[in-house]
Amino acid sequence: VKANGQSFLNLFIPQSFKLRLILILTISQLLFLATIMLVGYSFIGHTIQEQLDKRVMAYKSQFESSIKTAMISLDTGTLHSVGQQAIMLPDITEFVIYIENHSVINEVATNKIPISKLRVSHKVFASGINIGRVDFTISLDGINANKSHIIFTMLLICFFELIIASLLAVLIGSYVGKRASYLVSGIEKYASGDLSFQYEKISNDEFGFIARSFNTMAQNINENSNSLEKLRAQNIESSKMAALGEMSAGIAHEINNPLSIILGKTTFLVEKVKLGLISNENLESELHKIENMANRIEKIINGLRIVSRNSENDLMESVNIGPIIEDSLSLCMQRFRSSDVKLNFKTQINSDIYIHGRSAQISQVILNLLGNAFDAVQNYDEKWVELSANATTETLTISVTDSGNGIAPNIVEKLMLPFFTTKAIGKGTGLGLSISKSIIENHKGKFYYDQYSGNTRFVIELPLVR
Ligand SMILES: Nc1ncnc2c1ncn2[C@@H]1O[C@H](COP(=O)(O)OP(=O)(O)OP(=O)(O)O)[C@@H](O)[C@H]1O
Ligand SMILES: [Mg+2]
């Protein structure tokens, strides 16, 4: 009912601030004028009545003093001339003198018949005895005409006042409305994405105060978000460097192995070739082994180059996901191997799967997940980590699962928060997952912890380039 009532009222209240202001000003003027009219009307009525009473009193005493002696001495001549004079007085239309026991002594009347009149009857006393009376009629037409005239003039003044007030209301409404819409248009601009918007016209009044406050606020927000953006970029960098540092021992080992194989094999081959003790076939197969080892080293170096470069300024481009996954895996392979953690790789994607993005950042996310899984499985008897990749026609799904049985719900809530870590001081920054999430979301993808998997599983979903 209340909602109905409100919407019913809303039908009559204009939405625009300017129209509302005009309406309020006009209505308040109307109320003000109506009050003035009422007060004025009753004041005029009161004043006129008072004057009439005074006039009646004055007539009574005037007539009494001029006829009293003539009444006592029954001087009809004088009474008659008093009557003639009385009828000449303004507004007196009838004048009758009665004497006790003699009925009417004198009666005069004008031939004007008033529309509204007041009859007055006044008894005359001599030494406490009623000796007669004088009756007279006062025409109220003149007074009424005066009253109407005054009221008409008042109404006219009010009418013009109302017109002037309405014009003023329109002017004030337009002025205030214009100032308000200047503010509104600026805020709209800001809201629609023009974050550098600032008001240029700033007055010294309350509107100017709002505009100035807005300018300061927008500036502060911009500065804050700029420094937040910088901080985010720095975080991405520093967490990447930390991960690289952690991996570097493994990487050195990873490179050393094939390198010593290459060295061993080349020394061995040089001797054999010198002595002519090797067949071409054998030489070729040994050289292939050396080539393979060199390729492995090249991959690792490539991976390192991709991850360690500052990718913030890289353009988003179509990148093949296969090599990114392979490079990431080869970067941490040795670390897993030397800690006896099994690293499985299950992929069902073709070699021509492309996503739109920055390869270094995607590889950083994969390494973050592999690093977390690696850390987690250290606590379990069964130690394995599985990286899998699948693609539908639209989406690429990469997931990292480890041998853990999931993460406690109270920790899951906070996983993605920046700086949340359960690791020892100096071991984890707590930035890995939050940065990974923001990287994947920047790539228009989804990054989440899979609460329905039997094991601990994190998922990356990215849209494919078609
Ligand atoms: N695979 C996992 N199994 C169990 N817990 C995990 C796993 N991955 C992440 N976590 C939990 O989430 C927390 C946050 O992970 P995140 O990668 O954001 O930070 P971190 O690994 O602690 O530090 P950083 O990655 O910055 O070195 C970890 O401290 C850990 O408690
Ligand atoms: Mg981590």
Side-chain angles (χ1 to χ4, degrees), residues 245-277:
E246 240 173 63
M247 283 184 304
S248 57
I251 291 165
H253 192 89
E254 184 85 345
I255 294 174
N256 254 345
N257 249 353
L259 248 178
S260 41
I261 295 175
I262 291 173
L263 277 176
K265 282 210 182 296
T266 41
T267 325
F268 168 78
L269 284 180
V270 167
E271 285 301 310
K272 291 278 170 186
V273 170
K274 255 190 205 162
L275 299 171
L277 285 177

Side-chain angles (χ1 to χ4, degrees), residues 228-243 307 310-312 316 358 360-369 372 414-420 428-448 458-460 462:
L228 265 182
E229 186 51 37
K230 266 188 211 146
L231 200 68
R232 199 186 69 87
Q234 276 169 11
N235 280 341
I236 291 186
E237 271 315 292
S238 58
S239 90
K240 198 162 67 186
M241 290 336 261
V307 179
N310 187 349
S311 51
E312 271 301 298
M316 290 257 187
R358 302 183 177 105
Q361 290 192 333
I362 300 297
S363 141
Q364 186 182 350
V365 175
I366 296 174
L367 287 172
N368 273 337
L369 289 183
N372 279 351
K414 297 175 263 182
L415 277 182
M416 310 276 175
L417 295 178
F419 305 109
F420 172 77
T429 59
L431 285 170
L433 290 179
S434 71
I435 288 173
S436 299
K437 188 171 161 65
S438 78
I439 288 178
I440 297 301
E441 282 169 359
N442 272 341
H443 281 71
K444 300 196 166 57
K446 284 184 202 152
F447 180 87
Y448 56 91
F458 285 86
V459 185
I460 303 167
L462 287 166

